[in-house]
Amino acid sequence: MSAARLVIAGVWMYTSRGNTTGPDSESAKAPAVAEVGDCVQNKGTDDQPDMEVIGCSDAKAEYKVASKFENECEPGQSRFEQTRNGRVQFAMCLTKV
């Protein structure tokens, strides 16, 4: 499956995790806190992703955040969405690292 056609849909999993906010906390690794230029790893599958923000120098980094909250991504980019009750809460366009 090409990255351009890969559409990743997620759920608000991080809201049910720990309440700490330190740099190693679950909420600090949640994709919604990712900034443009940050890297993420999919710890799940293409059908049920579990994205986590990680350092770009980490060998496990799979994608770099190219943009956030865009309706469409550029050709060659993947789109990640988090939804709640069927509504998109957060979206970002990703490029392969």
Side-chain angles (χ1 to χ4, degrees):
M1 182 180 303
S2 73
R5 295 190 179 168
L6 178 65
V7 176
I8 303 173
V11 292
W12 284 102
M13 292 176 56
Y14 72 92
T15 58
S16 63
R17 294 181 181 172
N19 291 329
T20 61
T21 57
D24 293 327
S25 70
E26 293 299 318
S27 61
K29 296 175 185 177
V33 300
E35 298 294 331
V36 172
D38 285 349
C39 291
V40 294
Q41 173 190 16
N42 182 5
K43 296 179 112 182
T45 65
D46 287 345
D47 293 330
Q48 294 194 349
D50 181 12
M51 293 295 204
E52 181 176 290
V53 177
I54 63 173
C56 291
S57 60
D58 191 317
K60 295 177 184 175
E62 296 176 81
Y63 301 96
K64 185 177 262 189
V65 179
S67 63
K68 294 173 63 172
F69 305 110
E70 299 293 329
N71 289 331
E72 292 185 26
C73 296
E74 297 291 324
Q77 294 179 341
S78 299
R79 180 174 173 84
F80 173 79
E81 297 177 343
Q82 284 187 318
T83 60
R84 178 179 267 168
N85 298 325
R87 293 186 174 170
V88 175
Q89 302 292 311
F90 172 78
M92 61 185 170
C93 296
L94 306 169
T95 57
K96 278 288 230 187
V97 174

